[in-house]
Amino acid sequence: MRIIAKNTLKRFWKQPEFSDSRGPLESWYEEAWKSAWTSPQAVKARYGNASICGNNRVVFNIGGNKYRLVVEMQYRAGIVWVKFVGTHTQYDCIDVETVNDH
């Protein structure tokens, strides 16, 4: 998969209070980059605890469920677009289906 907006991940883990997210986010990135997800079912087959949401969004639990990662999947194009990464508290304040839409 082609992953767009890796800088969103980097900006998050470079914050001192979230530096522990770097390893889990890099691991997720590497695995997603090597994947060829063609459907929500393919994502769920690998990440059983991922949440499939509207507007082609998927929510991943990161770092032992300490953080949340929201991406938009464009399955036909093979693109994963990072839309949000944050703590559970930050996640609770967003609308998964519209976060980071321009």
Side-chain angles (χ1 to χ4, degrees):
M1 303 294 288
R2 192 170 127 219
I3 301 165
I4 297 175
K6 184 178 182 183
N7 280 335
T8 301
L9 303 178
K10 288 181 180 179
R11 276 194 309 273
F12 185 75
W13 77 51
K14 285 184 177 181
Q15 298 174 71
E17 65 270 32
F18 306 129
S19 62
D20 64 330
S21 69
R22 182 176 182 164
L25 285 169
E26 285 184 326
S27 293
W28 175 88
Y29 180 92
E30 287 299 318
E31 187 161 344
W33 182 75
K34 293 175 185 175
S35 296
W37 294 318
T38 56
S39 68
Q41 295 78 16
V43 174
K44 287 290 280 184
R46 173 60 190 96
Y47 291 98
N49 64 352
S51 298
I52 307 300
C53 304
N55 202 19
N56 295 315
R57 302 295 172 98
V58 179
V59 180
F60 293 94
N61 296 319
I62 301 293
N65 206 18
K66 186 173 181 181
Y67 303 106
R68 293 286 177 104
L69 171 64
V70 178
V71 302
E72 179 182 328
M73 300 295 247
Q74 297 174 7
Y75 297 104
R76 284 188 184 161
I79 294 172
V80 177
W81 190 294
V82 175
K83 295 293 185 174
F84 169 86
V85 61
T87 66
H88 274 271
T89 302
Q90 293 166 331
Y91 172 82
D92 289 342
C93 296
I94 67 163
D95 178 342
V96 170
E97 294 183 18
T98 60
V99 68
N100 200 16
D101 278 347
H102 301 286

